[in-house]
Each structure stands twice: as structure tokens, then as C-alpha cells.
Amino acid sequence: MKHKERVGYKVTSMIKGYIELIRPHNLIASFLTTIIGVLSVYAFIKLNGFITPDPQYVSSIALLAVITVVFIAAGGYAINDYFDADIDAVNKPYRPIPSGRVKRQHALIYSLILMTLGLATSSIIGIITSLYALFNAALLILYSYRIKRLGVIGNIVISYLGAASIVFGALALCENIRHISLVSTSFIPAFFAFFLLLGREIIKTIEDVKADIKKNMRTLPILLGTRKALIISIIPLVLVVSLSLLPVILYNYGLVYLILALITDAIIVYVILLVARTIRRWKVNDEEIIALASKLRAYLKVAIFSGTLAFLLDLMIKTLM
């Protein structure tokens, strides 16, 4: 009986390990941003007198786009743990590979299977969409293998990949209705996603500076110091706040967007004020800045969620009008 219990525990633990590898909470964000891309095109079509495709047809394209993005993103998270296994053994021994719940080689196979399934799904959508998916999948692998260690370049790449799911959703629908130029309707939400993610990524490197030194990474806080990195991190955040009304003024986003965007702005402004208050002090040590970065990253996670809802809900309302 005890033997069966031990076997059952190992199987359960292994399954949990495979689930942890793909970071389900992050995949929810990938799902939502892909839908934003699809809706940005669909809403524009409905509001500007284009021939509107059947809603069921749009839903089928959206489903294929979501499956593609989620599977490729999941594979990206798994392969990231594969490349970081040795470092995680020291810094994050609880992760699936160093804890022994998932074998390192199995994580690689798991990742490649997930990415292959995502790419196979993208091929159903269309050739242009499939090539874009292949490009992003390759970039994900390169990011985990090498680019993430290149400091701000890694921050830019991962921020781009986060925003790319919006563009991908738009491209999937555009290719199938044969209006590729309409993919530009996704650029505004992708723009805000990119810069908000970039600010958060730089702050995350401050929080992780001690572990990153051991990894021989060239992040901003390692190259310039935590204080200067903190100052740089607010530049993209200031850009997000200063341009947040642009979708209302130029692209007919409505009241729902405005309310949620103002909430997002309030959170970001609070983050900026906390940074300003900290860097204004002459004597502030790395430990204080690292502790602050941990708080700021949590606040920005909320801002990213509210910002995502701002675009998503407003576009949903437009498509239902």
C-alpha cells in the first residue's frame, strides 16, 4: 500500500512539474493579448463599413491563433528552464528540473513538442501567419539560449515577444480576410504592451541582480548599477502614461478604455513616484533598491492586467455594437 502511495505521489509530483514548466498564469496573458489582436481588426472592420466576416468564422480563426500562441509560449517557457537548469539548481532548487520532478532532457523534448504543435496549428491559418509564428518561436529559443544574457537587448526582445501575440492575432484574421494592411490596427495596443513590459523587465533585472551576477549576465544594473538602472526603467513607463489618451483621440477607443487606462496610469504614476522618491536620496544602498524593485514589479503586474483589460473590454464592446 505504501509503495502504491509513493508511486502515486511521484506521478502527481511529476505532472505538477510539467505544468509548472509552462507557467499557466503567463499563458492566460498570452491568450488575452492574442484575442486583443483579433478584435482590433474585427472591430475596425465593423466600424468602418467593410464586409464583415461571419462571427463564427472569426471565432475559428481566433481559436487557431490562441492555440498557436499558447503552445509556442508554453514551449518557450519549458525550454527556458532547460537552458537555466544548472543555474536554477543553485538559485531556484524548487523549479521542476532541479527538484528532480522533470528530467532536463524530457523538458527539452516537451518544449519542442509544444512548439511543433503550435507551428502546425499556425500552418492551418496561412503562410504569412505561419512564417511569423516560426520567426517568433526561433526568437524564443535564441532568447533562452543566448539573448537573455545580453542585458537590455534581452529586455527588448522579451518585451517584443510579449507584444507580438497581439500582432499575431491581428495577422491571423487579416490573412484570412485578405486585408493584410489592417494588421496595423493592432500596433497601438502592441505599442503600449511593449513599453509597459520593457519597464517591468528592466525592474525585474534589478530585483534579480544578485542571481544574474552569478550567471555572468550583462544586465543594466550590473553594467550601470542599480540606481541608474532604476532611473532608466521609468523612461518607457513615462512614455506609456504620456501617450495613454492617444487611442481615444486618434483611434476611437471609448469610455471603458478610458476608465481602465486611467487606472493603469495611476498605478504607473505611483511606481514612478516611488522611484523618484528613492533616487532623490543621496544615500540609498543596493539592498533597498532591490527590495523596492520587488514591490514595483508586483505593482506593474497589476498595471499590465488592467491595461490588457482596457483594450480587451473596449474592443469587445465595439464588436458587439
Side-chain angles (χ1 to χ4, degrees), residues 1 28 77 80 96 128 131 135 144 168 208 211 248 251 268 312 314 321:
M1 188 68 179
I28 294 171
Y77 290 128
N80 184 70
I128 299 173
L131 289 173
F135 171 77
S144 296
F168 183 86
D208 296 339
V248 177
Y251 296 96
I268 296 172
L312 180 64
D314 197 87
M321 288 174 62

Side-chain angles (χ1 to χ4, degrees), residues 102-219:
V102 177
K103 291 182 179 180
R104 186 177 185 181
Q105 206 63 26
H106 290 175
L108 177 61
I109 296 169
Y110 182 46
S111 169
L112 295 177
I113 289 172
L114 289 169
M115 286 194 172
T116 300
L117 289 171
L119 292 172
T121 305
S122 73
S123 68
I124 301 172
I125 302 171
I127 183 64
I128 299 173
T129 307
S130 181
L131 289 173
Y132 189 58
L134 180 62
F135 171 77
N136 287 321
L139 193 57
L140 260 176
I141 295 171
L142 286 173
Y143 170 79
S144 296
Y145 173 64
R146 179 63 180 168
I147 296 174
K148 70 184 295 184
R149 305 180 193 283
L150 302 180
V152 70
I153 296 175
N155 298 148
I156 291 170
V157 168
I158 200 64
S159 300
Y160 156 76
L161 286 167
S165 58
I166 298 174
V167 178
F168 183 86
L171 183 60
L173 183 56
C174 286
E175 183 171 10
N176 279 271
I177 62 173
R178 300 187 180 182
H179 282 285
I180 292 294
S181 62
L182 293 183
V183 73
S184 61
T185 60
S186 68
F187 291 170
I188 279 291
F191 170 89
F192 284 101
F194 173 81
F195 283 103
L196 188 48
L197 288 169
L198 182 59
R200 185 172 178 267
E201 282 298 313
I202 295 172
I203 286 172
K204 189 175 182 295
T205 62
I206 298 171
E207 183 186 8
D208 296 339
V209 64
K210 291 182 178 179
D212 288 344
I213 289 172
K214 297 176 183 178
K215 300 176 187 177
N216 295 316
M217 297 177 75
R218 297 174 60 80
T219 63

Side-chain angles (χ1 to χ4, degrees), residues 55-93:
Q56 288 188 343
Y57 178 74
V58 175
S59 297
S60 65
I61 297 299
L63 179 61
L64 290 171
V66 164
I67 291 172
T68 297
V69 170
V70 168
F71 272 84
I72 290 176
Y77 290 128
I79 207 166
N80 184 70
D81 273 30
Y82 168 80
F83 284 118
D84 281 356
D86 293 336
I87 297 166
D88 285 346
V90 177
N91 298 319
K92 298 178 181 178

